[in-house]
Amino acid sequence: MGLFDKLFGKKDKEEIKEQVNKEKEDIEKEANEVESKEEKEEIQKVNISQRLTKSKEGFFSKLKNIFTSKSKVDDSIYEELEDLLLQSDVGLSMTTNLINQLEKEVKANKVDNTDEVYEILKRLMSEFLLSQDSKIYLKDNKINVILIVGVNGVGKTTTIGKLALKYKKLGKKVLLGAGDTFRAAAVEQLEEWAKRAEVDIVKGREGADPASVVYDTLSKAEAIKADVVIIDTAGRLHNKANLMRELEINNIIKKKIGEQEYESLLVIDGTTGQNGLNQAKEFNSVTDLTGFIVTKLDGTAKGGIVFSVSEELKKPIKFIGLGEKIGDLIEFNAKDFVEAIFN
């Protein structure tokens, strides 16, 4: 018998070992909690203002210059403003509405100072975004379905991966559905994200019917009691066959989850301007979108797409992408966005 056993006895030795192991587990648990907390804080610390530097130095800087370069209000201000808004992807409909409302308020309040006119314009643009609910509300003890649509190249697969990580870190059981079966690379990319996020994925063979993959995904979600199901789709609406596939996918989701609402989000590349807006109109006519995810906003000097896409379709922006890192996909907060671009 060793000295340790002689001094403490076998039973005491086992109790001490158990205590040491327990303390070790507690330390590891605490370290993981700190790491998780630090990751969450890092995500929250994304400096929106810095990431939108290109838009601020481009569109919004020019916007302010229109007013600072003049001392009094005249018709030329409205003309210059209209040209800039259209050039910056704000869109014809919203541009017209903004100009009309601005002129109306300026005349009604007899405003002749350009600084005051600029403040009115800021308020009008802010009020529009602030009127929309951008939150995604997850229901407990339910399968929360998020259908992701969008054309190739907009950052769709990466966005799905980032969403999976986001919800996994929130303690949700996440399941991915690889519904873009016509592009092998899309399935492979999604598999990599599933591994990285440590979540399950359902996939079919290349060229398989996307609707069948969606059906299998939702069936597995029921079996494993998943909290969040994120489904990728092919993102092609060029012909009738592809339109029918999108409709079929939506019908299957409705049959599987019944009357429960689900998210149908279109991913738009923020640098594509009016092309992104046209895509939004096309997809909305088929899938009844519930909102948008605008990516690559850190790479555009325009930024007006944020206003135009919501105004045209009367649907909110749910997330914005401000970079390549995991934490750069953030929930869209209209107040924070407006403060960042105008200040």
Side-chain angles (χ1 to χ4, degrees):
M1 183 179 285
L3 180 62
F4 188 92
D5 289 343
K6 286 180 180 178
L7 290 172
F8 298 100
K10 188 175 181 180
K11 186 177 179 182
D12 289 342
K13 180 182 176 183
E14 289 176 354
E15 287 177 355
I16 290 171
K17 279 186 176 180
E18 286 179 7
Q19 186 177 351
V20 170
N21 288 333
K22 187 177 183 300
E23 288 177 356
K24 185 179 179 182
E25 287 176 3
D26 289 340
I27 290 170
E28 288 176 350
K29 183 179 179 183
E30 186 175 279
N32 288 334
E33 287 175 350
V34 169
E35 185 178 354
S36 177
K37 184 179 179 183
E38 286 175 347
E39 286 175 352
K40 287 178 181 177
E41 287 177 350
E42 185 179 347
I43 289 173
Q44 291 171 350
K45 287 178 181 176
V46 172
N47 191 316
I48 301 175
S49 183
Q50 286 183 354
R51 300 297 174 83
L52 293 172
T53 298
K54 285 190 177 180
S55 287
K56 291 178 69 174
E57 292 177 350
F59 170 37
F60 295 101
S61 176
K62 291 176 183 176
L63 190 65
K64 190 170 185 177
N65 286 340
I66 290 175
F67 296 91
T68 56
S69 63
K70 293 178 172 58
S71 57
K72 287 188 176 182
V73 180
D74 56 33
D75 290 341
S76 66
I77 282 184
Y78 298 116
E79 291 171 3
E80 288 180 39
L81 179 59
E82 182 178 22
D83 289 341
L84 179 61
L85 291 173
L86 290 174
Q87 290 168 17
S88 303
D89 299 329
V90 171
L92 179 60
S93 179
M94 186 172 180
T95 295
T96 303
N97 290 337
L98 271 174
I99 299 294
N100 289 341
Q101 287 184 50
L102 183 63
E103 281 192 276
K104 186 177 179 181
E105 287 206 26
V106 167
K107 289 178 181 177
N109 296 299
K110 297 180 179 178
V111 177
D112 58 6
N113 184 289
T114 53
D115 288 339
E116 290 181 49
V117 178
Y118 179 62
E119 291 303 317
I120 295 172
L121 177 65
K122 280 169 57 176
R123 177 174 56 78
L124 290 174
M125 295 181 77
S126 303
E127 284 174 355
F128 173 75
L129 286 179
L130 292 171
S131 68
Q132 299 185 351
D133 187 1
S134 298
K135 291 283 185 183
I136 289 182
Y137 299 97
L138 299 183
K139 297 178 178 64
D140 293 331
N141 303 314
K142 296 280 188 181
I143 298 174
N144 297 275
V145 178
I146 303 175
L147 180 67
I148 303 293
V149 299
V151 300
N152 296 334
V154 296
K156 183 162 56 86
T157 308
T158 302
T159 296
I160 292 171
K162 290 179 178 180
L163 284 175
L165 274 166
K166 167 187 167 62
Y167 289 119
K168 176 71 185 292
K169 286 179 179 179
L170 291 174
K172 304 299 180 184
K173 181 176 281 190
V174 181
L175 177 65
L176 302 184
D180 190 352
T181 58
F182 299 107
R183 196 166 62 94
V187 178
E188 291 171 5
Q189 287 169 11
L190 207 58
E191 276 190 287
E192 285 301 313
W193 275 107
K195 289 176 185 176
R196 187 173 177 182
E198 297 181 338
V199 301
D200 288 335
I201 182 172
V202 175
K203 58 178 183 173
R205 58 179 174 76
E206 186 178 348
D209 180 13
S212 68
V213 176
V214 172
Y215 182 89
D216 292 343
T217 301
L218 294 174
S219 296
K220 182 167 183 176
E222 291 172 346
I224 67 173
K225 292 182 168 54
D227 299 307
V228 179
V229 177
I230 309 174
I231 300 172
D232 189 13
T233 62
R236 296 177 178 86
L237 293 181
H238 314 312
N239 56 49
K240 188 176 180 180
N242 291 325
L243 289 170
M244 293 306 293
R245 286 193 190 100
E246 290 290 338
L247 288 170
E248 189 178 358
I249 286 171
N250 280 271
N251 288 336
I252 286 173
I253 294 173
K254 289 171 184 175
K255 285 179 182 177
K256 274 289 192 180
I257 66 175
E259 295 299 316
Q260 183 185 328
E261 294 181 352
Y262 65 96
E263 296 285 349
S264 181
L265 306 179
L266 174 66
V267 181
I268 299 174
D269 182 339
T271 66
T272 59
Q274 287 301 301
N275 285 336
L277 181 58
N278 293 334
Q279 290 165 20
K281 290 177 180 177
E282 191 175 10
F283 274 99
N284 192 59
S285 67
V286 179
T287 61
D288 190 22
L289 299 172
T290 58
F292 307 99
I293 299 174
V294 184
T295 62
K296 308 179 187 180
L297 275 179
D298 57 314
T300 177
K302 295 183 177 181
I305 187 71
V306 170
F307 294 93
S308 62
V309 76
S310 294
E311 200 278 338
E312 287 278 352
L313 283 88
K314 303 296 188 283
K315 304 285 175 70
I317 293 170
K318 301 285 188 175
F319 294 92
I320 54 174
L322 298 172
E324 296 298 323
K325 295 180 182 178
I326 298 299
D328 292 337
L329 180 71
I330 64 172
E331 291 183 359
F332 182 68
N333 182 298
K335 185 178 180 182
D336 291 346
F337 182 80
V338 168
E339 286 180 357
I341 58 178
F342 281 112
N343 296 332

